[in-house]
Amino acid sequence: RDGQPISFMLNLNGGDPRVQPTILWSVSAGLIKAGQNSRKIDVDSTGSGADREIKAGVWVGGYAPECLLEAKTIVKVIPPAAKIGEVGELAPDKVTNMLKVLGSTIAQSPDNLYVFAYAGRKSERGYAFNWLKKMKDELSMAGLDARRIVAVDGGFREEPGFEFWTVPPGSEPPRPSPTVRSKP
């Protein structure tokens, strides 16, 4: 997952044991925290989720040219969930248009979509449930597989509203953030 530490190790076999090799590492994302010029590096993967992978390369100098002097590997990185939008209460036709665009866009990625609905302090009973059902239906009609849509009643806020999150497979799902406590 994005932000977790990763280590890469170089295993050198054969060659002249008297040679002190020169070792140079590179990574395509993240940051080498320790170990440059050694056989093991520690990498901070923070921010590498956007690329969804870290490519590590190592070059070894000091040996004969016919020896393998370079190696590469790739580690897949799971990015965190990302909030892609938040809206207040909208007219039904605006919601339909917004969901068509959202559904067709998310359908082209491997990510899941989390939709949080928040009822307002003065919303009618069943507000979040009814809107979530409508939104899930609209997203499905726009081409997004219903199994990739997670609809969550987020509780209450001062005013009704909705949040939309993309959640890559394996990522920690987001949690709702109500601002008004429901009445017991």
Side-chain angles (χ1 to χ4, degrees):
R1 289 193 173 137
D2 187 308
Q4 290 182 320
I6 300 172
S7 295
F8 295 92
M9 291 189 65
L10 170 64
N11 184 14
L12 287 175
N13 292 314
D16 186 345
R18 295 172 293 175
V19 170
Q20 282 290 356
T22 303
I23 300 171
L24 180 63
W25 290 91
S26 69
V27 292
S28 63
L31 177 68
I32 298 174
K33 303 250 329 170
Q36 183 62 280
N37 303 318
S38 71
R39 293 179 187 225
K40 177 185 175 207
I41 58 170
D42 297 321
V43 176
D44 176 2
S45 69
T46 301
S48 61
D51 298 324
R52 298 194 183 221
E53 65 184 16
I54 296 176
K55 296 175 186 171
V58 62
W59 292 267
V60 180
Y63 292 102
E66 62 271 9
C67 297
L68 180 62
L69 302 174
E70 180 180 356
K72 295 179 182 179
T73 190
I74 296 175
V75 173
K76 297 293 181 188
V77 177
I78 300 170
K83 186 188 222 179
I84 57 171
E86 184 171 355
V87 296
E89 195 166 27
L90 295 172
D93 62 323
K94 290 189 185 234
V95 171
T96 299
N97 291 336
M98 178 188 69
L99 294 175
K100 281 181 184 176
V101 172
L102 182 61
S104 63
T105 302
I106 300 295
Q108 297 172 29
S109 85
D111 298 342
N112 295 314
L113 178 67
Y114 275 60
V115 180
F116 293 104
Y118 299 96
R121 197 179 277 278
K122 298 176 183 174
S123 296
E124 70 275 1
R125 184 176 215 87
Y127 178 88
F129 175 81
N130 293 333
W131 271 103
L132 288 169
K133 182 176 178 351
K134 176 182 174 35
M135 288 182 164
K136 195 166 182 177
D137 291 345
E138 293 278 351
L139 289 162
S140 293
M141 286 191 294
L144 184 58
D145 185 338
R147 295 173 295 192
R148 294 181 47 211
I149 305 166
V150 179
V152 179
D153 182 338
F156 294 90
R157 290 189 172 174
E158 287 297 324
E159 298 295 325
F162 307 93
E163 290 180 355
F164 303 92
W165 293 75
T166 56
V167 182
S171 182
E172 270 305 305
R175 299 181 191 275
S177 55
T179 59
V180 175
R181 293 185 65 183
S182 62
K183 295 177 184 173

